[in-house]
Amino acid sequence: MITAKPSPSEFTPVYGPVSSWRYGKSLGIDPIGEISTCSFNCVYCQLGEIELKTEHRRIYVPTEQILQALTEFSPWDVDVITLSGSGEPTLAANLGEILMGIKTLTQRPTLVLTNGTTLCDPQVREQLALADRVSIKLDGISTAQLQRVNRPVTEINLSQLLSDIQEFSRIFPGELGLQTMLLSPWSESERQEYLRWVKAIAPAEIQLNTPTRPKPLKHELAGRGNHSPLENLPYEARKLKSVIPSVLQDFAQEIQEQTGIPVRYAPVFTL
């Protein structure tokens, strides 16, 4: 049975808390809204197919609405408050206001999950730097990989994207992570090129993952939170191809040995 899509009146910009293998107990903030909106349409997206594919920034959910909803979750007994939700959070033009408001209201650490495509914008870099932690998606080291896995709105200038991530790493005072999703094992040349850029970006940690969440067959707002096994979901979804645990383990070991950067990788089944 497929659950009905929530009406706008049922949308809440705050959800969870959810349990994260990377960040512990996380309270979610959705600055994008009911309509999934992103500059990527990743083949593994837990939201299903992205409804609005765009690179344009605007205010999707007013800051006041987010902070009002956040007060209802007081006293915020969580490890982190995470901006992600229904798409790419840096597309929200009020990102800086949201981050400052959360910090003032809750005094809890903030995290932003981003695909990095807006980091060419100095205003985005300035606003994003207000977060305590930022995790940037890097699912491939060639244009072909990124086109196949992330399906961007427009063709990616990979050199520019990597340079933008490197520049943000240089100015960001908080903790920067790189998150990489493996759908299949990488070649030796792909791994070596990835290691070269990891050294240049110098993140605090690397997070390796493989698709273990079922993907909804259509957009599902419930995909923002934790997922149950495929057979227990209240909507239609499909299991995605993933790599075996030893592939993550071996790549993690290679990264750590060659860069000295800590690597965490997903357990066999992640929520």
Side-chain angles (χ1 to χ4, degrees):
M1 179 178 179
I2 304 174
T3 55
K5 184 174 179 179
S7 67
S9 62
E10 294 175 315
F11 168 78
T12 172
V14 183
Y15 59 96
V18 298
S19 177
S20 168
W21 66 272
R22 294 172 294 179
Y23 305 111
K25 190 177 180 182
S26 169
L27 186 62
I29 301 293
D30 189 343
I32 297 301
E34 185 190 14
I35 298 173
S36 60
T37 303
C38 194
S39 51
F40 280 176
N41 184 25
C42 297
V43 296
Y44 59 81
C45 184
Q46 69 270 19
L47 299 169
E49 292 295 302
I50 295 298
E51 296 173 297
L52 177 58
K53 305 171 187 68
T54 183
E55 295 180 305
H56 299 298
R57 302 185 77 210
R58 66 176 178 85
I59 294 178
Y60 294 89
V61 183
T63 306
E64 297 76 11
Q65 181 182 349
I66 291 172
L67 297 181
Q68 178 58 45
L70 189 54
T71 61
E72 300 174 11
F73 286 77
S74 177
W76 311 290
D77 181 24
V78 294
D79 298 308
V80 67
I81 296 179
T82 304
L83 275 71
S84 179
S86 296
E88 171 52 42
T90 64
L91 292 177
N94 53 340
L95 175 67
E97 284 185 359
I98 295 168
L99 287 168
M100 289 189 294
I102 291 171
K103 179 64 71 175
T104 300
L105 181 63
T106 71
Q107 302 299 310
R108 303 304 300 159
T110 53
L111 162 71
V112 180
L113 306 181
T114 176
N115 62 28
T117 56
T118 61
L119 289 176
C120 57
D121 185 337
Q123 187 177 62
V124 171
R125 295 197 297 268
E126 180 181 355
Q127 293 178 3
L128 190 58
L130 295 171
D132 296 298
R133 302 175 71 179
V134 171
S135 187
I136 302 177
K137 182 193 305 290
L138 183 59
D139 290 337
I141 208 64
S142 70
T143 299
Q145 272 184 315
L146 297 182
Q147 293 285 351
R148 182 173 64 252
V149 175
N150 301 130
R151 300 187 296 179
V153 173
T154 58
E155 184 172 348
I156 286 180
N157 183 328
L158 181 59
S159 296
Q160 183 65 52
L161 175 64
L162 292 168
S163 295
D164 292 339
I165 296 173
Q166 186 178 10
E167 172 61 16
F168 181 74
S169 177
R170 186 186 67 80
I171 68 168
F172 181 47
E175 181 180 305
L176 180 69
L178 285 182
Q179 53 178 326
T180 297
M181 184 75 77
L182 296 184
L183 279 68
S184 61
W186 287 8
S187 68
E188 172 68 18
S189 61
E190 289 169 339
R191 295 197 309 274
Q192 290 305 313
E193 182 68 4
Y194 180 84
L195 290 168
R196 185 175 75 83
W197 274 103
V198 163
K199 293 174 184 177
I201 295 168
E205 73 169 20
I206 305 290
Q207 302 149 1
L208 293 181
N209 203 357
T210 192
T212 53
R213 289 180 168 188
K215 179 176 179 177
L217 298 188
K218 64 179 185 62
H219 171 63
E220 293 289 347
L221 189 64
R224 299 183 306 180
N226 284 340
H227 276 209
S228 302
L230 181 62
E231 62 272 14
N232 295 332
L233 288 174
Y235 47 78
E236 292 184 335
R238 64 184 176 90
K239 186 177 180 180
L240 300 173
K241 180 182 178 183
S242 60
V243 300
I244 59 177
S246 62
V247 171
L248 294 181
Q249 294 166 3
D250 292 346
F251 195 19
Q253 183 177 354
E254 183 178 11
I255 294 169
Q256 290 184 159
E257 289 178 350
Q258 294 200 30
T259 69
I261 296 171
V263 181
R264 288 194 291 167
Y265 53 89
V268 175
F269 181 76
T270 58
L271 289 178

